[in-house]
């Protein structure tokens, strides 16, 4: 198994992939609930097929992969990160010189969005690429690969969170 973890996360206890339920064909991750804002606003449908959108889960901060699943997901994860960062017209309404919304076909079909899609990113200004593009990249890649993600709660927390603490059972707290 492979553990991917954001650098600013505090592990609240021991990470045992098998005890947590990791297996080939299932990725484990934390529930980064703010991603639900974009998921509910149909951001995934701007990038992947409609029938795959229900597989998009609010996963982030850490993931445990079987190495074969990581090999499947990783190339598309990188692809979708670039796609999200590189084309904000898929989630920000774009105005032309005349002040009217830009309309017309986009690569892959469909139209540019006629209203903003909220991404759940508190740190981005309108029109900018979200800092959580990497997180959405994973969400899209896993859904596209049809590899489900099981969401966990409380395995990690931000290292600067004022009440950061290990599990009640004790164990390591690692940054």
């Amino acid at each position: 198994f492979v553990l991917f973890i954001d650098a600013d996360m505090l592990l609240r206890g021991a990470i045992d992939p098998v005890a947590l339920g990791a297996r080939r064909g299932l990725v484990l991750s934390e529930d980064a609930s703010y991603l639900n804002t974009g998921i509910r606003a149909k951001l995934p449908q701007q990038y992947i097929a409609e029938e795959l959108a229900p597989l998009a889960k609010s996963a982030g901060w850490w993931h445990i992969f079987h190495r074969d699943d990581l090999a499947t997901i990783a190339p598309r994860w990188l692809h979708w990160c670039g796609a999200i960062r590189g084309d904000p017209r898929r989630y920000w309404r774009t105005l032309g010189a005349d002040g009217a919304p830009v309309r017309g076909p986009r690569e892959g079909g469909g139209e540019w969005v006629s209203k903003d899609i909220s991404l759940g990113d508190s740190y981005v200004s309108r029109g900018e690429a979200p800092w959580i593009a990497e997180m959405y990249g994973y969400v899209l890649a896993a859904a596209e690969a049809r590899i489900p993600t099981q969401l966990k709660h409380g395995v990690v927390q931000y290292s600067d969170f004022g009440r950061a603490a290990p599990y009640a059972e004790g164990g390591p707290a690692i940054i």
Side-chain angles (χ1 to χ4, degrees), residues 16 23 29 44 67 77 85 112 118 148 163-164 172:
D16 179 340
R23 61 178 167 76
S29 187
R67 66 182 180 182
W77 188 354
R85 293 193 62 73
W112 302 119
S118 178
R163 296 180 305 278

Side-chain angles (χ1 to χ4, degrees), residues 68-89:
D68 296 341
D69 296 333
L70 180 57
T72 299
I73 291 171
R76 296 302 288 172
W77 188 354
L78 179 61
H79 165 79
W80 290 123
C81 290
I84 291 168
R85 293 193 62 73
D87 193 357
R89 294 177 294 180

Side-chain angles (χ1 to χ4, degrees), residues 3 5 9-13 15 62 155-157 165-166 172-175:
L3 171 65
I5 186 165
M9 287 292 126
L10 174 72
L11 295 175
R12 298 186 60 226
I15 300 291
W62 65 273
V155 174
V156 299
Q157 62 190 149
I174 304 168
I175 294 180

Side-chain angles (χ1 to χ4, degrees), residues 46 86-104 106 111-117 126-128:
Q46 292 294 317
D87 193 357
R89 294 177 294 180
R90 289 191 181 225
Y91 45 86
W92 296 122
R93 181 176 60 117
T94 304
L95 300 178
D98 62 357
V102 173
R103 306 290 294 167
R106 66 168 201 249
E111 297 281 325
W112 302 119
V113 295
S114 59
K115 66 178 187 170
D116 292 343
I117 294 176
R126 189 190 179 290
E128 295 177 354

